[in-house]
Amino acid sequence: MGVTGGQISPVRSRERFLLGESVEGSVRGPILNSWRRSRMLGLSPEQTDLPYTDDFDPDSRLVRAAVPVLDQLQSRFSGSQMNISLADGNGTVLQRRFGEPALAGRLAPIQSVPGFVFAERYAGTNGIGLALAERRLCQVYGAEHFAERSQSNACSATPIRDQFSGHVVGVLCFGYPRSYEDPVLPVLVRRAAESIERRLMEQSSARERALLRTYLDARLRAHAGEASAEAADGRLIGLDDLTDGGLDLQDQMVLKAKATELICNPQRAAVEVSLSHGRGVTLLSSPVTSLSGVEGVVVEAVLTADSPPAHHLAASKPTASALGALALAATERAESLPWHLAETPAAGRAAAGRAEASGAAEASAPGGGSPRDAAGGAPGTVRGLVLVGEPEVGKYAVAARRRLELLAEASTRIGTTLDVSRTAWELAETAVPRLADYVTVDLPGAVLRGEESADPQADLHRTVVHGIRDDCPFYPVGHQVRLDPGTPHMRCLEGEPAVLETDLQDTTPAWMLPGLEHARGILAHDVHSMICVPLLARGVLLGIATFYRAQDPAPFGEDDSRLAQELAARAALCIDNARRYTREHTLALALQRSLLPRGLPEQGAVEVAHHYQPAESGVGGDWFDVIPLSGTRVALLVGDVVGHGLHAAATMGRLRIAARNFAELELAPDELLTHLDNLLVRLDREEEDASATGSDGIVGATCLYAVYDPTSQVCTMARAGHPPPALVHPDGSVTFADLPAGPPLGLGGLPFETAEVHLPEHSTLVLYTDGLVEGRDRDIEVSLDQLRHALARPDRTPQDTCRAVIEAVAPEHPDDDIALLVARTRTVPADRIATWDLPPDPSLVSDIRGAATRQLAAWGLDELAFAAELMLSELVTNAVRYGSEPIQVRLIHDHDRALICEVADGSNTAPHLRRAASTDEGGRGLFLVAQLSQAWGARYTTRGKVIWAECALDAA
């Protein structure tokens, strides 16, 4: 509900709320939060009494600044039922004005007499209390007031701020009947408050001018005692005139910054300031009190004749009036007090006043002393007025500069990594102790996983707790945070840009009451104020950051709140970038892991272990594979696609599948790499065609392919731009295979070469990607030497070898993926291999069948004799009829696994399985072989081809 047409108030919603029913969505957020706080404080809607005090200053700075504005408002609303109130920062009403003077006699004292306190903790929801709680313009209509006494009224109230400190020092409130509602009233009350703020600023400017006039008068009196300007040893000029002598803008900024710090301390001081090019300047600060009692500090710069500007200025012989004119010109170009007047209408007038007065100031000594006294009595000294002001103003200036420095530092400290949790910690480490004494950051679990949280309130986890003490009184990291309605954290989740609580010690806020025990623990650590800020980036709510102050006696102010919001905004953007990266990294890693082997296939040629480690900065395209081949052989494969991310992972998957398919065709290593090279060239062309969509082209890939035959103990290898494998011999010596490097995949048209290496039983073959041994800050020779030492233990299992290599060689924070494959070789004993050579004579087929039957009996495989005889009969007959010499028959007893029958001949013609028609006389041999075996196929060799068939031992 709310106001519709300026007439309707949420009467029914208020009744439902008082009955304990939910009214979310039917009442404006600030009003509902105020109702909740009022109920937590135990306030009653029927309450009529409010605290009253007469202990307030009726002639305070705020009142003096507001009286002319209140007079104008009273005149504007003359004859109306408008009630105009001015309250201080505690909610105490200081002034009352009425459009119709008779209202003062008809209204109750609580509505007409100054001194009543309308803070929310006493009066519940009302204009003054809500403006102080929300620290912004607020409107309350009819039943939105918590108290029954205000149901017939409406009000518009806005805070009044001190433009120096940003602190809320008062509230201007319009109270009126609901029928008097007008859209112009919020605009009018805001403009009136701005007028009061300007008058407060003008009061400060007047105070500064009074200080400057006192300083100038003292200088003029001191100079009157000199015989002439030419007789003076010291010469006073404006600070900008030092520029011509070598004091550049940067030096002036350094001087003004140090002078601002000196103004914070109302005592005499002399400080040496080092400038550029080895120069030095002495800054002198002296207290000064105006005739009206304003206390301040004046700061002058003193340069001696040894400084570069002195000889330039000493050449002139200025008179007193000339010095005054010179100083006036210099001061008109300078901004003597730039830290708090830059953006206010009074700034121009104040600066003009200072410039007008500074002309005379430059010809006189401070505090009635002579130039010789002020300059330390050194001949030829040059003096320049730097700043004059009140200590409190100087403190605000120093604080403002430090806030700017903190913001500049935050841009380099926050977001150095793409890790969500680390970025949150960087926010806390940046803010402590320069802004806050403690910082907590709460993020939904979904954000930590790289996702968007559908319900941050239900999924909030404490991610960071950081402070000036280790025993932080807050829930620990990992704790699931549950928020109650009305808390600053919940208000941030519900859309408020920031919530500032300035007084947690003297008056415990209502929202702390439900968790009072935990709150007492926090308050026991002297925590007195807090700022809660949502972490919002690109429209996504990422969590909450809360800043607490305890050690610094000054509570958080509006400027601190804006600084916290700026820090949180920067951190939120970095957290969102890290979240998006985490999501992409997780997806890429999941894709890559799904494309890598999930388990090693069963084979008896090697004992294998593997390790894959993704890069910290992004998933790459590294892969490995173990592929069983015919004849007990095995293929080992490692590769690396150039690049990172989903694109590299997807390309890796395509190459791995293609490599497995090519390996199934029993291609030689160099032929397989040639096929992969051609495939990558085609993929690259496809990417070039799709470049208009923003896709990244494939740069290339490297690959190492090895085939180990345990019957001959020979390993045939070829590589395409990949690091050579390490060979660990049974005696513990480690070498790197001398293989032709070959070009990387994707260049196209270049040949690859193979090499054969004899590997005795229990040798270890180690294949790896370049992420293991290469890096931006690593010497590859050193890494290879580390790898050699880590492998010089032949007695370890492949799994232990993997672990030792990763611990000894892999970087702690890899910037590239690492794929490692360790294979210890096995052999097929000679007594498990039977070989027969025969001429192309059909009559010898029966002899082969008999010899095979006897061999199977010797191996204890009599149950496989029938199937083996049939398969050998068909395969040998085909080799004799259609093949050529030499013809060889081989039986391999792969222990506990299979019986392999192979028939080799010198022909390159490949057999084809087909279904023979009922009228065909032949064509059924391979069909019979396929039915009797669990697998069969053909592979080509340098001397012809091999037809093989495999029978499982458990099939017997």
Side-chain angles (χ1 to χ4, degrees):
M1 296 174 65
V3 175
T4 304
Q7 297 292 331
I8 303 175
S9 295
V11 178
R12 293 183 181 177
S13 295
R14 181 174 178 275
E15 293 174 352
R16 290 170 52 202
F17 173 82
L18 294 176
L19 292 174
E21 300 177 13
S22 175
V23 294
E24 291 187 11
S26 61
V27 180
R28 292 185 293 137
I31 299 298
L32 180 57
N33 289 330
S34 180
W35 285 358
R36 287 170 174 164
R37 293 193 295 268
S38 300
R39 184 166 60 184
M40 291 177 183
L41 288 166
L43 300 179
S44 170
E46 292 80 19
Q47 180 180 354
T48 57
D49 296 332
L50 291 179
Y52 175 80
T53 177
D54 56 5
D55 186 20
F56 62 89
D57 185 1
D59 192 36
S60 65
R61 290 183 58 196
L62 176 61
V63 172
R64 283 185 275 113
V67 164
V69 179
L70 296 177
D71 291 341
Q72 293 177 8
L73 291 173
Q74 184 175 15
S75 175
R76 179 186 181 103
F77 293 114
S78 177
S80 71
Q81 298 184 51
M82 181 67 71
N83 184 343
I84 306 167
S85 304
L86 175 70
D88 63 16
N90 297 318
T92 303
V93 175
L94 306 177
Q95 286 272 313
R96 291 276 193 183
R97 300 295 177 89
F98 304 95
E100 182 181 338
L103 282 174
R106 297 201 301 265
L107 294 176
I110 199 173
Q111 295 176 293
S112 59
V113 178
F116 286 96
V117 183
F118 281 81
E120 188 183 69
R121 62 178 178 270
Y122 303 120
T125 308
N126 71 93
I128 294 175
L130 192 59
L132 288 174
E134 296 290 328
R135 313 184 80 81
R136 57 190 172 96
L137 175 66
C138 296
Q139 295 171 276
V140 184
Y141 306 97
E144 289 183 336
H145 289 86
F146 190 77
E148 296 284 356
R149 64 174 178 272
S150 303
Q151 298 297 294
S152 60
N153 298 324
C155 57
S156 295
T158 189
I160 300 172
R161 288 181 169 83
D162 184 327
Q163 295 299 299
F164 286 146
S165 64
H167 295 162
V168 174
V169 296
V171 175
L172 181 64
C173 179
F174 291 174
Y176 44 86
R178 285 184 295 171
S179 59
Y180 198 71
E181 174 63 28
D182 191 297
V184 77
L185 289 179
V187 178
L188 184 59
V189 71
R190 182 185 294 111
R191 289 180 177 174
E194 291 172 353
S195 296
I196 297 175
E197 290 171 352
R198 284 195 298 270
R199 293 183 61 81
L200 284 171
M201 178 65 69
E202 290 170 356
Q203 288 181 5
S204 298
S205 300
R207 295 160 65 92
E208 292 160 5
R209 286 195 297 271
L211 287 172
L212 185 56
R213 174 53 58 188
T214 301
Y215 164 74
L216 298 179
D217 291 344
R219 295 284 298 180
L220 290 173
R221 287 195 300 272
H223 188 69
E226 297 290 340
S228 65
E230 289 82 0
D233 289 329
R235 296 178 174 85
L236 187 84
I237 61 164
L239 187 58
D240 279 1
D241 281 279
L242 298 178
T243 304
D244 296 334
L247 190 61
D248 57 23
L249 182 60
Q250 183 65 32
D251 289 340
Q252 294 185 50
M253 293 176 63
V254 171
L255 288 177
K256 290 182 179 180
K258 189 62 182 179
T260 304
E261 296 178 8
L262 290 175
I263 286 180
C264 298
N265 187 7
Q267 297 179 355
R268 292 184 179 273
V271 177
E272 294 290 336
V273 181
S274 298
L275 303 178
S276 59
H277 307 295
R279 295 169 299 179
V281 171
T282 301
L283 288 182
L284 301 177
S285 68
S286 304
V288 59
T289 303
S290 70
L291 296 177
S292 59
V294 178
E295 297 181 351
V297 176
V298 62
V299 180
E300 294 175 304
V302 179
L303 287 82
T304 65
D306 297 332
S307 302
H311 72 276
H312 170 78
L313 295 166
S316 61
K317 296 181 179 181
T319 62
S321 59
L323 281 171
L326 177 63
L328 176 60
T331 311
E332 286 175 344
R333 293 195 302 272
E335 291 182 3
S336 298
L337 299 172
W339 61 87
H340 62 278
L341 299 177
E343 297 180 357
T344 63
R349 296 192 298 273
R354 289 192 302 273
E356 178 181 358
S358 297
E362 310 300 345
S364 56
S370 68
R372 177 187 297 273
D373 295 335
T381 57
V382 180
R383 308 173 56 149
L385 177 64
V386 183
L387 292 178
V388 60
E390 298 179 77
E392 286 300 313
V393 177
K395 292 177 182 178
Y396 297 147
V398 171
R401 187 177 72 249
R402 289 174 178 171
R403 283 192 289 267
L404 289 175
E405 292 171 351
L406 182 58
L407 279 177
E409 182 180 329
S411 63
T412 59
R413 291 190 61 181
I414 300 176
T416 59
T417 68
L418 287 172
D419 180 84
V420 173
S421 297
R422 181 60 210 156
T423 303
W425 274 99
E426 288 170 346
L427 167 63
E429 291 166 352
T430 301
V432 174
R434 295 168 64 180
L435 172 62
D437 297 317
Y438 301 98
V439 174
T440 64
V441 180
D442 304 322
L443 302 177
V447 172
L448 295 172
R449 296 189 299 270
E451 307 166 4
E452 292 185 13
S453 177
D455 185 8
Q457 300 179 16
D459 190 31
L460 212 58
H461 291 78
R462 180 61 46 87
T463 306
V464 173
V465 178
H466 183 59
I468 56 176
R469 293 170 51 176
D470 293 334
D471 58 334
C472 294
F474 305 99
Y475 291 124
V477 171
H479 179 83
Q480 185 168 3
V481 180
R482 302 188 182 278
L483 304 178
D484 295 317
T487 62
H489 307 77
M490 183 63 77
R491 291 166 62 184
C492 286
L493 289 178
E494 292 173 346
E496 294 197 29
V499 178
L500 171 63
E501 292 282 354
T502 59
D503 186 7
L504 301 179
Q505 286 285 346
D506 295 338
T507 305
T508 303
W511 56 267
M512 297 185 76
L513 297 179
L516 190 57
E517 197 62 36
H518 179 63
R520 285 172 178 163
I522 296 176
L523 298 179
H525 283 67
D526 299 324
V527 174
H528 55 73
S529 58
M530 65 173 287
I531 305 170
C532 192
V533 186
L535 297 172
L536 191 66
R538 302 183 179 97
V540 178
L541 182 61
L542 302 171
I544 304 170
T546 310
F547 305 82
Y548 299 89
R549 184 169 284 180
Q551 195 173 54
D552 190 338
F556 283 124
E558 292 290 337
D559 289 338
D560 297 315
S561 178
R562 284 189 285 270
L563 176 60
Q565 291 180 63
E566 182 64 27
L567 292 177
R570 297 187 183 196
L573 189 61
C574 294
I575 289 174
D576 191 49
N577 290 338
R579 178 190 66 82
R580 290 166 179 253
Y581 166 78
T582 300
R583 179 181 60 187
E584 181 179 341
H585 181 77
T586 302
L587 290 174
L589 185 59
L591 173 62
Q592 186 175 45
R593 291 193 182 279
S594 70
L595 296 173
L596 291 173
R598 298 190 178 184
L600 297 178
E602 182 183 356
Q603 50 80 35
V606 291
E607 182 185 357
V608 183
H610 60 87
H611 178 85
Y612 170 75
Q613 184 173 341
E616 285 191 352
S617 58
V619 175
D622 292 18
W623 88 94
F624 64 90
D625 211 345
V626 178
I627 308 170
L629 301 177
S630 63
T632 68
R633 298 171 307 135
V634 66
L636 305 174
L637 178 70
V638 290
D640 183 5
V641 175
V642 176
H644 292 84
L646 287 172
H647 188 265
T651 303
M652 175 273 292
R654 299 170 78 174
L655 285 179
R656 176 179 172 257
I657 294 172
R660 176 172 282 273
N661 291 335
F662 293 146
E664 294 288 347
L665 296 176
E666 303 279 3
L667 298 178
D670 56 339
E671 295 180 25
L672 183 139
L673 293 181
T674 299
H675 283 284
L676 288 180
D677 183 45
N678 294 335
L679 172 63
L680 202 56
V681 169
R682 291 195 298 272
L683 293 177
D684 212 358
R685 289 172 181 169
E686 292 176 6
E687 293 295 332
E688 290 177 1
D689 295 339
S691 60
T693 64
S695 300
D696 296 329
I698 301 172
V699 178
T702 65
C703 184
L704 171 63
Y705 184 72
V707 177
Y708 172 67
D709 188 346
T711 63
S712 64
Q713 301 179 10
V714 172
C715 184
T716 306
M717 296 178 281
R719 63 184 178 125
H722 202 83
L727 306 177
V728 184
H729 300 279
D731 61 359
S733 61
V734 180
T735 60
F736 293 94
D738 185 13
L739 298 181
L745 301 177
L747 297 181
L750 299 176
F752 301 94
E753 300 181 52
T754 61
E756 292 185 351
V757 178
H758 183 266
L759 297 178
E761 187 176 8
H762 303 313
S763 298
T764 301
L765 184 64
V766 181
L767 288 72
Y768 52 91
T769 56
D770 58 1
L772 179 68
V773 295
E774 295 183 11
R776 289 190 296 266
D777 303 322
R778 306 176 67 195
D779 186 335
I780 188 171
E781 294 299 330
V782 173
S783 298
L784 291 176
D785 190 57
Q786 292 174 341
L787 178 59
R788 183 181 291 106
H789 283 85
L791 292 175
R793 289 278 304 276
D795 56 328
R796 285 186 301 216
T797 65
Q799 189 63 50
D800 292 338
T801 301
C802 261
R803 188 178 302 110
V805 168
I806 293 301
E807 291 177 355
V809 186
E812 184 177 356
H813 302 286
D815 52 18
D816 194 8
D817 288 17
I818 297 174
L820 177 65
L821 191 63
V822 177
R824 176 188 286 180
T825 63
R826 296 169 177 165
T827 61
V828 179
D831 59 358
R832 292 184 178 272
I833 303 173
T835 306
W836 298 277
D837 296 316
L838 68 157
D841 184 355
S843 64
L844 298 178
V845 174
S846 60
D847 296 339
I848 290 296
R849 288 202 302 267
T853 301
R854 291 189 295 274
Q855 184 63 60
L856 292 177
W859 288 340
L861 301 177
D862 300 274
E863 63 276 8
L864 292 177
F866 178 73
E869 285 184 23
L870 288 177
M871 289 189 296
L872 284 175
S873 179
E874 293 297 332
L875 295 178
V876 172
T877 299
N878 285 340
V880 170
R881 287 183 178 180
Y882 308 113
S884 60
E885 293 185 286
I887 299 175
Q888 186 182 72
V889 177
R890 187 169 69 161
L891 292 179
I892 303 174
H893 180 198
D894 190 0
H895 183 64
D896 297 332
R897 184 170 172 268
L899 173 67
I900 302 171
C901 304
E902 295 183 345
V903 178
D905 68 80
S907 172
N908 288 324
T909 58
H912 297 284
L913 178 65
R914 65 184 179 87
R915 183 177 294 276
S918 56
T919 58
D920 291 341
E921 294 183 0
R924 295 177 177 84
L926 285 180
F927 179 78
L928 181 62
V929 172
Q931 296 300 312
L932 293 173
S933 64
Q934 70 173 0
W936 76 278
R939 68 175 182 269
Y940 294 93
T941 66
T942 56
R943 296 183 298 175
K945 68 177 183 297
V946 176
I947 309 299
W948 58 270
E950 183 177 298
C951 291
L953 297 183
D954 56 6

